[in-house]
Amino acid sequence: MSKDNKPIGPSQRMLRVGELVRHALAAIFARGDVEDDALRGAVITVPEVRMTPDLKIANAYVMPLGGLHAEEIVAALNRHRKFIRGRVAPQINMKFAPELRFFVDDTFEEASRIDSLLRSDRVQRDLDGDEDETDH
């Protein structure tokens, strides 16, 4: 909490609704309810859904398995977002279904980049230098 008693980050309700939407989207994608040439045969994961504080907009971060054609798949999902919203609405049991917006999830790419940095020769050399100092 900050000085003016406003919470920092998402509220418990935002997290809970985001998780409900994430599960609903994952089920829709697993069943293959959305028919589009770009989505045919694609296995889509939904690692995260972030809700706005008023719960009116759900930003869904998606990634196709293997990361191939991610931009095309996100474009196809955004074309069909009203249909998907209609499928999500009964599953989340809310008065109003949030507007859906789809984005490419880049957390896997970022984690891979950080991992490669940690395994680089420069970092390993620094780590080896720290071990030598602790032995003395």
Side-chain angles (χ1 to χ4, degrees):
M1 294 265 219
S2 63
K3 289 182 179 180
D4 53 355
N5 290 333
K6 290 186 180 175
I8 299 172
S11 70
Q12 189 69 31
R13 182 165 171 81
M14 289 167 59
L15 294 171
R16 188 171 56 243
V17 172
E19 197 63 16
L20 285 172
V21 172
R22 188 180 75 80
H23 282 280
L25 288 172
I28 290 167
F29 298 153
R31 287 192 307 263
D33 288 353
V34 184
E35 293 186 19
D36 191 288
D37 289 339
L39 302 176
R40 188 164 291 129
V43 178
I44 302 170
T45 60
V46 187
E48 183 179 13
V49 174
R50 294 182 190 161
M51 300 298 299
T52 56
D54 60 2
L55 304 178
K56 298 225 185 262
I57 299 172
N59 294 318
Y61 295 88
V62 297
M63 178 59 75
L65 198 60
L68 299 174
H69 311 293
E71 293 293 335
E72 294 172 27
I73 288 174
V74 166
L77 292 173
N78 279 316
R79 279 194 305 271
H80 297 286
R81 64 182 170 194
K82 289 185 179 180
F83 170 79
I84 298 169
R85 180 183 185 187
R87 295 293 179 136
V88 167
Q91 294 184 39
I92 61 173
N93 196 25
M94 290 177 58
K95 189 172 184 179
F96 299 104
E99 175 189 334
L100 298 172
R101 295 178 183 169
F102 295 96
F103 300 96
V104 175
D105 181 41
D106 60 357
T107 55
F108 297 119
E109 188 177 296
E110 185 67 16
S112 175
R113 188 185 70 79
I114 291 170
D115 190 47
S116 67
L117 281 173
L118 291 174
R119 294 177 191 271
S120 71
D121 292 337
R122 289 176 55 192
V123 172
Q124 291 302 318
R125 186 176 54 235
D126 289 345
L127 290 175
D128 291 340
D130 288 347
E131 290 174 5
D132 293 339
E133 292 173 12
T134 58
D135 291 341
H136 293 281

